[in-house]
Amino acid sequence: MPAAMEASLSLSQQSTPQGSSSFFVSLLQQCKSAADCRHLHHQYLLHSLHATPFVSNHLVQTYGIFASIEDTFCVFATMPRRNIFSWTSMVVAYARHGLGVCSINKMLTLGKHIHTYIHLNGFDCNAYVGTALIDMYGTCGCVEMARAAFDAIRAKDVVSWTAILTVYAQHDEGATALELYIKMKNDGVLANDVTYCSVLNACANLADLEVGRRIHADTCTLGFWSSSLVNNAILNITALVTTYAYAYHGHAKHVVRLFAKMKQEGVKPDEVTFTSLLSACSHAGLIDEASRNFRSLKEDQGVARTMEHYACMVDLHGRVGQLGEAEELIREMPFPPNHVIWEIFLGACRMHKDMEHGQFAAEQVLQLAPDKSAPYVLLSNLYASEGKWEEELKIRKLMIERGVQKQVGCSSIEVDGVLHHFMVRDRSHLRTEEIYAELERLNLEMKAEGYVPETNQVLHDVEEELKEQLLFYHSEKLALAFGLVSTPRGTPLHVVKNLRICSDCHTAAKYISKIRGREIIMRDYNRFHRFKDGLCSCGDYW
């Protein structure tokens, strides 16, 4: 603290409280750092002087200027009365520094607490504050909260639009990112080069080259042909789209060869390209290839490892049952693992029936994302697979108590330009009788070919016969049966499932493709499956 300030600190000699407060604030204005402010604050308290709203407001303001977020919030939280100056100083402090800190350090709990104060006082409609909230939630993996922060902004500018587009692009929700891009254009907001980078990444995530070309045309029309950011994105998008297409269709070896060709031709892979490569390796069990590229990321390629890269590696080790290696990867991450990492690990524990690791992983997910249904469902299924029905029931009751709803499985198929949706045991379709009759025929024909229902997939405490019935009326099978009775022989069937395809439905689709001579393309939330002549493009590894 400056010597002049130290020498002049005689607060107790001020004749009135008002005088001491004014004198204190004048000294605050001379502070050069948070340490100065903290020392002066300490001296003020040592003299047993009462912190008036006037003093507290200026403390909040000064601590905020020096990015001392914990001190700022501590003073603010202990104020008995707050006025517009208090709130403004607090919001400005967090908008400048605090929300960024919450993002970088994944301090989601603190971020939500700050958001509550901001919302209660109407500051979340401000574009500057709202954009900081979007960034914080996006970095912490809370896409829905990021969207809520975006929707609350009244006058959305290009920065706030770009922030939410980036969140969706980074969390594999490219379709939503493109929808927002179109809405942004319709609202008359002009995109900048950062916006186009996010939009082009969304195209890569969707493996949609045609949309990428149209967006490329937009960049040319708006004069971004000289932007290095846009040019790099356009240079990489064809390779990225091709890589993603191969990865999602299960052609991991094609991805590896394409990746090598990219490097040979001088196209520098970025973190998104590596994510695609590692994901493809994960879905094909290419441990050696993935491990080699994961190790070379920073050392040889100059690309920093991201949360997505670690997620792919945890997924890869988890799929093959190397839970110890997966957990070790999580422990050695240079940043705190988010709920997605632990959810992937929990899924592997469920697959390999590792109760001890599964319970620990579930605790981590529930702590980081208590509103998500996936950890409850995975843990419930883990208990059910081990016949621990009392524990399974407790988890389901906990979901009800907390108001957490399980996402309902739904499969859809397009016939003659009309999209038809089905849920498990669905009887709402106009052609229900035909659909169920076709399922009965398929059941007999498949069993004659050697099909055995995987009743262990039915995680309910019921008789074996009922398990088989429940299993055979999954939404995927209903959609396939409708496609068979509604289209000419030999016509390929295209089914989309909002969740992961179950193991029994995967097996059934292989039999159906062989028995009926149909090619079946099934897209679940994770990848494409191409069934033909009794085989699947994923090689039964997904």
Side-chain angles (χ1 to χ4, degrees), residues 318-340:
R319 285 175 184 274
V320 298
Q322 297 178 351
L323 298 179
E325 288 84 346
E327 185 176 22
E328 185 177 347
L329 267 174
I330 297 175
R331 302 294 184 191
E332 70 180 32
M333 286 170 57
F335 29 68
N338 62 12
H339 73 274
V340 176

Side-chain angles (χ1 to χ4, degrees), residues 72-129:
T72 307
F73 186 75
C74 182
V75 175
F76 178 81
T78 56
M79 291 177 67
R81 296 188 306 278
R82 307 179 186 98
N83 57 23
I84 187 62
F85 187 94
S86 319
W87 284 105
T88 302
S89 298
M90 192 69 216
V91 169
V92 169
Y94 276 122
R96 286 178 177 170
H97 310 290
L99 293 175
V101 171
C102 292
S103 300
I104 294 169
N105 296 327
K106 307 293 190 299
M107 295 168 63
L108 181 58
T109 301
L110 176 58
K112 287 182 176 179
H113 192 55
I114 298 164
H115 189 186
T116 300
Y117 278 110
I118 290 172
H119 174 71
L120 289 174
N121 290 272
F123 293 113
D124 50 355
C125 62
N126 177 275
Y128 185 75
V129 175

